[in-house]
Each structure stands twice: as C-alpha cells, then as structure tokens.
Amino acid sequence: MATRLSSSGLYSHLWGTTESAALFDEHAMIQSWLDVLAALARAQAALGIVPAESADAITAGARAEALDLDYVAEQTRVTSHSTLGLIRGLLRVLPEEVREHVYVGATVQDVTDTWFGLVMRDVGRIVWRDLRACEARLLELAAEHRGTVMAGRTHGQPGAPITFGFKVASWADEVRRHLDRLRDGRERWLVGQLGGAVGALAFFGADGPELRRRFCAEVGLGDPGISWLTSRDRIAEFATVLAMACGTLARIGTEVYELARPEIGELAEAAPPGAVSSITMPHKRNPEGSEHLDTLARLARSSSAVLVEGMVAGHERDGRAWKAEWIALPEVCQLTLVALQLGRGLLDGLEVRPEAMARTVDRFGPALASERVLAGLAARIGKHRAQQALHEILRDEGSPDLAEALAARGLATAEDVLRWGTGAAVDAAAGMVDTVLARAHAARAAESEDWA
C-alpha cells in the first residue's frame, strides 16, 4: 500500500515518470547496489584480492530477483545496518566458497555513493535529452513569432511593446544555460566512491588507489582521485541545477497560467481529449499543466535545499548528511523528470494567439509607447522634465490622445509622437531574438545529443 501520493498507483504520474520509476523503484535500486558489489569483486579479482572464480560467481548471483527480499528486509531491521541485510541475502544464494569474497573492505557509502554517481549519470542523460527538446521547440516558437507584437509587462501591468518571440527567446536562452551547466558539471559529478572506513583505503594497502580506479571503470564512472565521504558538493550542485531547471519550467508555466486568463487570452494550453477542468463549472479550461510546473518546482527546491544542507558534514563520515540524500536526491530527480515531461507537452501543444496580443496593444494604445515617447521628448526638454510631463498626462489627466495632449502643451507634434513610436523597441527585441537563435543553433551543432 502506498503511504505517499508520490508512490500512489492513482497519482504517481504527477510526481514521476516511467523512466524515473525504472531508476528509483526498490527493485531497480537493489539491482544497482548489487551491480556495484559485483563490479567491486571484478576489480578486486583483477588485482588478485579475491579469486576470479568468486568474482564471476558474485556477478552471476547478484540479481535482485534471486534474493529473498523479505529476508533482506528482516536482516536490515535486525542488524540496524544499511546494507548488511542485502549482503546476507546475497550470501544465501552464493556457493559457500564464494561468500567470504563479497563486500571485501568496502562500506555502505562505497555502495550508495557509487549508486549516486550512476543515478546522476542516468538522470542527467534524460534531463539533457528533454532540455534539448524543450530548447528546440522554444527556438521554433521564437523564430515563428520574432515579430509578433505584444504588450511587455512589469509588476503584472502592461508596460511597453515587445514581441512574443522575444519572450520565448528569453526562455530558450535560460534553458541553454542549464544545458551548459549540465555539460560543465558532468566530469565533476560522474565519479564513483571507494574509500573504506575513513576514506584512506587502508584495508587495501598499496593496492587501494589502483583498485579504486579499476572499480570506477567497472561501473562506468570516473575516478574521483580522493574519497568524498563527507564532501557532498557534487550531490548538492547536481540537485541545484535540476531545481533551477524546474524553476525555468515554472517560469514558463507561470507565464502561460497568467496569459491564459480569458480576459487576456494571449496563450492557452492544449486541451487533451477527455480532460475535465471542473466538475462544477463546465465552462472552465484550467491551465493545470502550467500550474503543476510551479508545484513541482517548489518541491524540487525544497529537496535540493536538503542536499545543500548536506555539505555541512562532520569529520570523515557523517550519516546525518548522506542518509538525508537517500530521500532528497531521488525526490529532486523524479520531480525534475516529470516537470520536463510536462514542460515538453506544454510547449508542443501551446496555443499562441497573436490576434489577442494585438488587441491588448490596441487597447492600451499610445500609453504602451510611453518609453519611446519619453526618449524622444527627453532629447528635446530633458529627461526629468519629460518624465514629469508624461506622468501628468498619462496618470493624472488620463488623456486618451497622447499626441494631442503633448501638442496642447507645446511639447511635441503628432508627427513627433508617430516618429518616436514603438518600431525601434520592437526592432530591438526582434534583433535579440536573432542573437539567441544564432547562439543556440551554434551550440547545438557543436554538442552531442547524448549527455553521457
């Protein structure tokens, strides 16, 4: 029985994906830990620490489905040790002559931290794929709507004209920075752990560093060069990048959420067949995907904060830090993967309504050109005098005809106001779209589609 909505058969799709389940469900986790133990035995066999025949037998027997998981759970509780129950479960399925060669010289963190390295590799690969897919769609939208004029907004209020392509290019550029962070962090994050009791590899003597190198190669991770038992910055950094990616998706979702209001109606989520927004108000079309992106981002930030807290760890081992990671790292990974899946669907089905954007611009009329008029008038009478005059006209008098009001004050003609206009601002916004498009396409052409 599920005790949390995130693992509920009814609601788990809101908090994870099929891919994240394949990485984090109990069977997958146990199999990963067994794979780590088998890799350790193979690396030790290569150096003569354990017999090659034992390494082969451990590799063949280290299968989650071969273990009595009820016994493993019982022994975990009885021993109050994180991995001893698993070890005892594995020993039961191995020949007697092999059993003393399991888990030689290793500790819990050697297993679980190496698993974290594998998790970051596998999750990072999916995040890279999905972020690139989001970026590709955003670049398409930015190019398509390079010149689609809309009202730019500050403090929730109409400000000055921009283009929808400019707005989308800002999203795309932010996604590109997350891709840069993933690329740059890959070598730091994807490492194994083999440290022994306090990280000094004393159990293995002079063979320690070479054993660690071989072990890391066996699991497909880099050699960290030094144990990182209480150095948790890799986990914290990786999780922070994921939380930031969720934040970007939530920023996009928030924009759709706001602009989908019927009184604005400039954007809308796709309406999936059969979807019901409200069982009491049938007219509603709720932007639930956009809304949920914000929910996921809040939870991701919470989990990533726990992982940053883990950087403050004592001495050479501190269970307070890394045991909290057992909950928080899978959480932030699963939340990010479902956010990316949701974000991709949102962008692929996004309805853009240029006619509604044009209506908003027309509705606010000359007021939206006030920044450009201010610039033109400032060159004539000074910035502060121009600002005061426009404030009085647009705020105090509420004049519907800016050109007429300026002419009545002898400050500008209708031709001046038309010349100052909005075109320059829109042209500048479109030019920045071009910059983002060129930069992103160059980066995409130079990088691999696969992260790791």
Side-chain angles (χ1 to χ4, degrees):
M1 177 182 294
T3 57
R4 306 174 70 187
L5 283 177
S6 57
S7 56
S8 158
L10 295 178
Y11 300 108
S12 60
H13 66 286
L14 296 172
W15 316 107
T17 67
T18 302
E19 287 178 313
S20 69
L23 295 173
F24 293 110
D25 70 17
E26 188 167 58
H27 184 279
M29 183 194 72
I30 290 173
Q31 187 57 59
S32 291
W33 290 15
L34 291 170
D35 291 342
V36 169
L37 294 176
L40 176 63
R42 293 193 300 273
Q44 290 174 335
L47 293 178
I49 297 171
V50 303
E53 296 79 10
S54 292
D56 291 341
I58 293 168
T59 298
R63 294 179 294 107
E65 60 270 18
L67 273 57
D68 181 345
L69 296 184
D70 290 335
Y71 174 78
V72 170
E74 175 199 346
Q75 290 299 301
T76 300
R77 289 191 291 269
V78 166
T79 63
S80 295
H81 190 272
S82 301
T83 56
L84 192 51
L86 180 66
I87 300 307
R88 289 181 175 178
L90 177 58
L91 296 181
R92 293 179 88 190
V93 302
L94 293 176
E96 184 173 354
E97 66 273 15
V98 172
R99 295 172 185 171
E100 294 303 322
H101 303 138
V102 173
Y103 205 56
V104 174
T107 67
V108 174
Q109 273 194 267
D110 294 330
V111 176
T112 60
D113 284 354
T114 299
W115 176 59
F116 281 160
L118 296 171
V119 162
M120 290 189 286
R121 180 195 66 191
D122 295 339
V123 170
R125 180 180 287 126
I126 300 169
V127 173
W128 176 265
R129 180 199 70 197
D130 286 354
L131 275 178
R132 289 187 88 249
C134 287
E135 181 189 47
R137 178 60 184 144
L138 290 170
L139 295 175
E140 290 176 353
L141 285 169
E144 181 182 352
H145 294 282
R146 175 185 183 275
T148 301
V149 180
M150 68 179 299
R153 294 170 169 86
T154 64
H155 301 279
Q157 305 299 309
I162 58 171
T163 72
F164 182 61
F166 171 80
K167 184 186 292 287
V168 174
S170 169
W171 302 339
D173 208 39
E174 195 166 315
V175 168
R176 171 47 49 182
R177 290 192 290 279
H178 297 320
L179 289 166
D180 291 342
R181 293 179 182 105
L182 282 171
R183 183 194 62 238
D184 296 343
R186 181 172 49 200
E187 298 303 316
R188 289 193 296 275
W189 303 329
L190 305 191
V191 297
Q193 175 84 280
L194 184 62
V198 294
L201 287 170
F203 189 96
F204 305 107
D207 286 333
E210 177 61 15
L211 175 62
R212 185 184 61 218
R213 187 191 68 78
R214 289 175 180 265
F215 167 66
C216 290
E218 282 284 347
V219 295
L221 296 171
D223 181 350
I226 186 171
S227 303
W228 48 283
L229 299 176
T230 50
S231 184
R232 314 309 293 174
D233 61 293
R234 290 180 174 91
I235 307 295
E237 184 185 15
F238 179 76
T240 299
V241 171
L242 297 194
M244 290 171 68
C246 286
T248 297
L249 293 168
R251 181 164 87 91
I252 295 170
T254 296
E255 199 74 13
V256 176
Y257 179 96
E258 294 291 344
L259 296 181
R261 296 178 185 274
E263 60 269 33
I264 299 174
E266 295 176 359
L267 297 174
E269 289 186 10
V276 176
S277 289
S278 173
I279 60 174
T280 57
M281 296 172 284
H283 69 282
K284 296 190 73 181
R285 181 174 171 182
N286 293 341
E288 294 189 13
S290 303
E291 187 177 63
H292 195 53
L293 285 172
D294 191 17
T295 301
L296 294 167
R298 295 181 190 201
L299 294 170
R301 289 194 297 273
S302 174
S303 292
S304 70
V306 172
L307 296 168
V308 173
E309 287 291 328
M311 290 181 63
V312 185
H315 303 302
E316 280 60 58
R317 191 184 305 281
D318 186 346
R320 294 171 298 178
W322 54 269
K323 286 186 179 178
E325 292 170 354
W326 292 5
I327 296 293
L329 181 60
E331 286 273 335
V332 73
C333 290
Q334 292 180 88
L335 294 166
T336 302
L337 295 189
V338 75
L340 284 163
Q341 183 182 82
L342 186 59
R344 289 184 65 173
L346 173 67
L347 293 173
D348 286 343
L350 186 64
E351 295 180 17
V352 182
R353 297 171 175 172
E355 68 286 352
M357 295 175 180
R359 281 197 301 270
T360 301
V361 171
D362 290 342
R363 175 187 172 193
F364 291 97
L368 284 184
S370 65
E371 183 183 22
R372 288 295 304 151
V373 174
L374 174 62
L377 195 58
R380 181 170 294 175
I381 65 172
K383 190 264 183 185
H384 297 291
R385 288 184 61 201
Q387 184 177 35
Q388 182 62 31
L390 289 171
H391 182 88
E392 291 171 358
I393 292 169
L394 294 171
R395 293 288 303 278
D396 296 344
E397 298 177 12
S399 173
D401 192 328
L402 182 60
E404 183 178 300
L406 287 171
R409 293 179 177 222
L411 296 176
T413 66
E415 290 74 18
D416 291 330
V417 174
L418 183 63
R419 184 176 69 255
W420 293 333
T422 64
V426 170
D427 290 345
M432 284 185 265
V433 174
D434 295 339
T435 297
V436 169
L437 291 173
R439 192 161 57 198
H441 285 306
R444 291 174 69 84
E447 69 193 11
S448 171
E449 292 188 9
D450 189 29
W451 184 64

